[in-house]
Amino acid sequence: MKKLSWIFTIIGAILGIVILFATLFDSTGAPQQAAGAAIAVAFAVIPYCIARAISELQSVKDTNQ
């Protein structure tokens, strides 16, 4: 589960890069660029937070046993 969550984090970061570049080249104004950048960051940050939480929970579980 831990390894799978980090794989999703890598995939999310790659998708975030793609979305960011697509948004920067296709947008017509600053509000569209800001919205696209926010979505791109979300694709990277949300899976990272979940992966870190899983890792920490696993670490706590291993320490308590």
Side-chain angles (χ1 to χ4, degrees), residues 19-36:
I19 290 171
L20 180 63
F21 284 123
T23 300
L24 292 178
F25 290 121
D26 290 340
S27 63
T28 58
Q32 287 179 343
Q33 288 177 346

Side-chain angles (χ1 to χ4, degrees), residues 2-63:
K2 191 171 166 181
K3 187 176 181 179
L4 183 64
S5 65
W6 286 110
I7 291 171
F8 281 132
T9 302
I10 293 168
I11 292 169
I14 292 168
L15 285 173
I17 291 169
V18 170
I19 290 171
L20 180 63
F21 284 123
T23 300
L24 292 178
F25 290 121
D26 290 340
S27 63
T28 58
Q32 287 179 343
Q33 288 177 346
I39 292 170
V41 169
F43 266 97
V45 170
I46 293 171
Y48 174 77
C49 291
I50 293 169
R52 278 296 288 190
I54 290 171
S55 293
E56 290 299 318
L57 287 173
Q58 187 114 25
S59 174
V60 169
K61 180 183 166 187
D62 292 342
T63 305

